[in-house]
Amino acid sequence: MKRVQKELSLADVAGWGSACVTFGLIQGALYLQAYWSQFGLDPFQFVAVSELALTGLAGIGMVLGLMLITLLLGGWVEGKLTGINTARNRFAWLAPVLFFTGLGAIIWWASAWVLLIGMLLTVACLLVLTLSPVVPGIVKESPWLAYIVAMLVYVSIASHWLGSERARAIIDGNGKHLATVIIQTETLSDLNLVGRLGDTYALWDPARKTTVLVPAGDVRKLETARKQSAATSRAR
């Protein structure tokens, strides 16, 4: 039986392109909402949603890249396990168990328990889709099912977690840079630059635990410098 090769039409490209763009916009919105909400700000009140989502895509680029590498590595491991002969097949279950146990231990050691929960939820969603009698068979048998579920569930959780963790690092004083802002009337120093929302700079004051908003038109000079470590400060 000859395999029928289907060429992608312009409608197919437009459809898949729209789906990818929509997915990116949603992930960008999740990331930025999680990031700015830690500072008591709603980013959607400052600039257009499209600008925020496009900015958020840069923040989740690393997550998407790691997810792609992980999925490709998972496919390679699956191929290797499938090729194991019958005599060694009884030990084949050890490989995925050791892999996922090690991955879970690393995530737990890195205090990324949200990602561990995301991984468990992804597996649970796959089981529900596979065992549910309501889901059509063509969906269950699709080779893209695991990839789609991982992107929709795991990446969404990872995007929200990444935004929250980046904001929490600034709030806890773990930022690597300090900013000095010179405005018309005074100089604001020892601040953490949170970002810019439209025509407003957002800075975090670690001393007062307060978010400071400065209109971009009032800024005469903005300087950022790497924070000195405790060892460097003692040496001086």
Side-chain angles (χ1 to χ4, degrees):
M1 182 176 179
K2 295 183 179 180
R3 179 179 298 179
V4 179
Q5 295 183 354
K6 179 182 178 181
E7 296 182 357
L8 289 177
S9 63
L10 184 60
D12 295 331
V13 174
W16 283 106
S18 301
C20 292
V21 171
T22 303
F23 176 78
L25 294 177
I26 294 174
Q27 299 307 313
L30 288 174
Y31 167 80
L32 289 170
Q33 181 64 35
Y35 177 77
W36 288 102
S37 62
Q38 297 293 328
F39 303 100
L41 298 173
D42 184 2
F44 302 103
Q45 294 179 349
F46 288 85
V47 295
V49 176
S50 59
E51 297 178 10
L52 287 172
L54 290 176
T55 305
L57 290 177
I60 67 169
M62 181 179 66
V63 176
L64 295 178
L66 291 176
M67 282 297 303
L68 178 60
I69 295 175
T70 303
L71 293 176
L72 293 177
L73 179 62
W76 177 79
V77 172
E78 180 183 1
K80 289 294 183 180
L81 294 178
T82 305
I84 297 178
N85 54 34
T86 307
R88 298 166 57 189
N89 192 32
R90 56 182 177 177
F91 300 104
W93 61 272
L94 285 176
V97 170
L98 293 176
F99 174 77
F100 286 108
T101 302
L103 180 61
I106 292 174
I107 292 177
W108 186 266
W109 174 76
S111 298
W113 57 271
V114 176
L115 298 184
L116 181 59
I117 294 176
M119 183 173 63
L120 296 177
L121 286 176
T122 303
V123 175
C125 290
L126 281 174
L127 290 177
V128 170
L129 290 175
T130 304
L131 300 177
S132 176
V134 181
V135 179
I138 188 173
V139 177
K140 298 180 180 180
E141 298 174 359
S142 174
W144 296 98
L145 179 61
Y147 298 88
I148 294 175
V149 173
M151 294 297 287
L152 293 178
V153 179
Y154 189 81
V155 173
S156 299
I157 296 175
S159 299
H160 189 277
W161 175 82
L162 179 61
S164 299
E165 284 298 305
R166 292 191 63 184
R168 183 58 56 184
I170 296 176
I171 294 175
D172 293 341
N174 297 326
K176 298 181 180 180
H177 296 82
L178 291 176
T180 300
V181 182
I182 301 176
I183 58 179
Q184 301 293 338
T185 57
E186 60 180 326
T187 299
L188 306 176
S189 58
D190 295 334
L191 303 177
N192 293 109
L193 179 62
V194 177
R196 177 168 173 169
L197 291 174
D199 295 330
T200 304
Y201 284 102
L203 302 109
W204 174 254
D205 188 345
R208 297 187 300 159
K209 300 295 182 180
T210 305
T211 303
V212 180
L213 300 180
V214 180
D218 296 342
V219 176
R220 298 175 56 187
K221 190 176 184 180
L222 174 63
E223 296 179 350
T224 58
R226 182 175 293 274
K227 183 189 298 184
Q228 296 181 358
S229 62
T232 305
S233 300
R234 287 196 299 267
R236 292 187 176 181

